[in-house]
Amino acid sequence: MHRGILVVLVFNVVVSTVMVMSSHHWFSVWVGLEINTLSILPVLCGQFFPRSVESTVKYFLVQSLSAAMVLNVVIVQAWLYSSWCVVQPLNVFTSLVMVLAIGLKLGLFPCHYWFPDVVQGVGFIQGLMLSTWQKLAPFVVLVYVVGSVNVVFLGILGVLSVLVGGWGGLNQSQVRKVLAFSSIAHVGWIVSVLGYSVGVGCVMFFVYIILNTGVFMLGDKFSLKSLASLSRLVFINPVGGFCFLLGVLSLGGLPPLFGFVMKFLALGCLVSNGVYVVGGFLVMGSLLSLFFYLRIAFNSSLVLFPQHVLSLFVWRVSGSQGGFSLYSAVLSVFVSVNLLGLSSLSVFLAFLN
């Protein structure tokens, strides 16, 4: 793909997201979501491999169904209340359909089935966009309607997403699929808390973007397609292997690392609202996810992943050359954030006051 075309497409993706975030009319919100989807499609299949084209078609079909559901909901709202304003409360039926439509875009249970397969079929940078930026506009729409949605219903969807994300990642050997199931679990955490505190949910979403960005960029830097290639990374680039280890453990939410901020804020919000059952199930689902996070860390730092390859070292690893670049600078920033740990907790608590 020509660089100028890529710049225009990325610019459209950014503008469409800003359009959704700044709109107060349902039709402009729907137009922003559609522009966002149509602009990202050529980026997903830019290399034009059969697998990436297949994933792009799947993504297009899922997003088209979701956009159709959103449009039908807003038409019903306009027919019932003669209003296209996003602050108009939804009734029971339209709120249910809207949550399912947004769940398709976010990869939330029970609409998560497409997300791991699509992320596996595209590159790391495209998977990063699907896991972070492409969820920003649907997340804003969910914030618009969260006041009309039953918080118990959101809590159930969040708990099931965390359990499915943890259970689905246990038997995976592909790094991108593991990160996709991890994304499903993290979105479940965010949605469970969003019904009780929009501020805490927004801070958790911001932390989730930082964590995922660092891990996906490391995976793209060292071409970590499977856990077998990850086990050789520590011998080829010890610093890269150590940083990836920290990023994965931070996704698991271990206390010294930055990812614990997300779990701490979520559990604090749930306990303060007396939602102990949801918090307990979220912790149980998080333990499932922590199992395969520790499995990745163990295989990447202590032992070799089980494999049938006789050669231990891969002498030509893409992206392992030295030198300074903007990509390396951005990567170092996001990786170094994971080292801040609990020292940055007070900064994020300040945003809630």
Side-chain angles (χ1 to χ4, degrees), residues 178-238:
V178 170
L179 294 178
F181 281 107
S182 170
S183 178
I184 294 173
H186 279 85
V187 170
W189 274 88
I190 296 170
V191 171
S192 300
V193 177
L194 192 64
Y196 299 97
S197 176
V198 175
V200 174
C202 292
V203 171
M204 291 174 61
F205 188 78
F206 181 68
V207 174
Y208 157 78
I209 290 177
I210 294 177
L211 296 178
N212 256 24
T213 301
V215 176
F216 268 96
M217 291 182 71
L218 279 172
D220 177 67
K221 182 73 174 177
F222 300 106
S223 299
L224 303 177
K225 301 185 183 300
S226 65
L227 297 185
S229 62
L230 177 62
S231 65
R232 295 189 291 268
L233 175 61
V234 69
F235 298 100
I236 301 170
N237 193 317

Side-chain angles (χ1 to χ4, degrees), residues 149-164:
V149 182
N150 189 355
V151 292
V152 177
F153 179 64
L154 283 179
I156 292 174
L157 292 185
V159 167
L160 293 177
S161 298
V162 172
L163 293 176
V164 168

Side-chain angles (χ1 to χ4, degrees), residues 166-187:
W167 188 265
L170 290 177
N171 199 31
Q172 301 297 327
S173 60
Q174 300 296 318
V175 174
R176 278 171 292 185
K177 274 200 172 182
V178 170
L179 294 178
F181 281 107
S182 170
S183 178
I184 294 173
H186 279 85
V187 170

Side-chain angles (χ1 to χ4, degrees), residues 47-345:
Q47 298 176 342
F48 211 74
F49 294 129
R51 186 69 175 87
S52 63
V53 173
E54 176 189 350
S55 297
T56 304
V57 172
K58 291 179 180 178
Y59 180 76
F60 171 71
L61 294 177
V62 170
Q63 299 302 309
S64 299
L65 176 60
S66 176
M69 294 171 66
V70 172
L71 185 60
N72 279 278
V73 167
V74 300
I75 289 176
V76 170
Q77 279 290 110
W79 177 56
L80 291 177
Y81 304 105
S82 300
S83 174
W84 289 80
C85 187
V86 296
V87 298
Q88 177 66 40
L90 305 178
N91 57 35
V92 177
F93 174 74
T94 55
S95 63
L96 175 63
V97 178
M98 180 64 77
V99 170
L100 293 178
I102 299 304
L104 268 175
K105 291 184 174 293
L106 291 176
L108 189 68
F109 181 88
C111 311
H112 66 283
Y113 51 88
W114 63 273
F115 189 70
D117 194 43
V118 171
V119 172
Q120 176 62 29
V122 297
F124 273 99
I125 299 301
Q126 291 88 344
L128 173 62
M129 295 183 67
L130 292 178
S131 301
T132 56
W133 187 267
Q134 289 301 106
K135 293 186 177 183
L136 182 57
F139 177 75
V140 172
V141 178
L142 185 59
V143 171
Y144 287 157
V145 302
V146 71
S148 304
V149 182
N150 189 355
V151 292
V152 177
F153 179 64
L154 283 179
I156 292 174
L157 292 185
V159 167
L160 293 177
S161 298
V162 172
L163 293 176
V164 168
W167 188 265
L170 290 177
N171 199 31
Q172 301 297 327
S173 60
Q174 300 296 318
V175 174
R176 278 171 292 185
K177 274 200 172 182
V178 170
L179 294 178
F181 281 107
S182 170
S183 178
I184 294 173
H186 279 85
V187 170
W189 274 88
I190 296 170
V191 171
S192 300
V193 177
L194 192 64
Y196 299 97
S197 176
V198 175
V200 174
C202 292
V203 171
M204 291 174 61
F205 188 78
F206 181 68
V207 174
Y208 157 78
I209 290 177
I210 294 177
L211 296 178
N212 256 24
T213 301
V215 176
F216 268 96
M217 291 182 71
L218 279 172
D220 177 67
K221 182 73 174 177
F222 300 106
S223 299
L224 303 177
K225 301 185 183 300
S226 65
L227 297 185
S229 62
L230 177 62
S231 65
R232 295 189 291 268
L233 175 61
V234 69
F235 298 100
I236 301 170
N237 193 317
V239 176
F242 179 71
C243 291
F244 191 85
L245 171 66
L246 286 180
V248 169
L249 293 180
S250 185
L251 281 175
L254 291 183
L257 300 174
F258 185 65
F260 180 70
V261 175
M262 184 175 178
K263 304 293 191 300
F264 181 82
L265 293 177
L267 292 178
C269 177
L270 293 176
V271 170
S272 63
N273 286 277
V275 193
Y276 304 108
V277 176
V278 174
F281 277 108
L282 288 178
V283 172
M284 291 173 56
S286 183
L287 291 177
L288 288 175
S289 301
L290 188 61
F291 178 83
F292 63 77
Y293 290 139
L294 292 176
R295 174 168 163 259
I296 294 174
F298 185 76
N299 288 321
S300 64
S301 59
L302 298 179
V303 298
L304 289 177
F305 188 78
Q307 54 188 316
H308 301 288
V309 181
L310 297 179
S311 176
L312 177 63
F313 298 101
V314 179
W315 298 109
R316 294 184 179 182
V317 180
S318 62
S320 60
Q321 295 81 9
F324 177 80
S325 64
L326 180 61
Y327 185 90
S328 300
V330 175
L331 174 59
S332 62
V333 169
F334 280 103
V335 170
S336 61
V337 169
N338 287 325
L339 300 176
L340 296 177
L342 298 181
S343 61
S344 61
L345 180 60

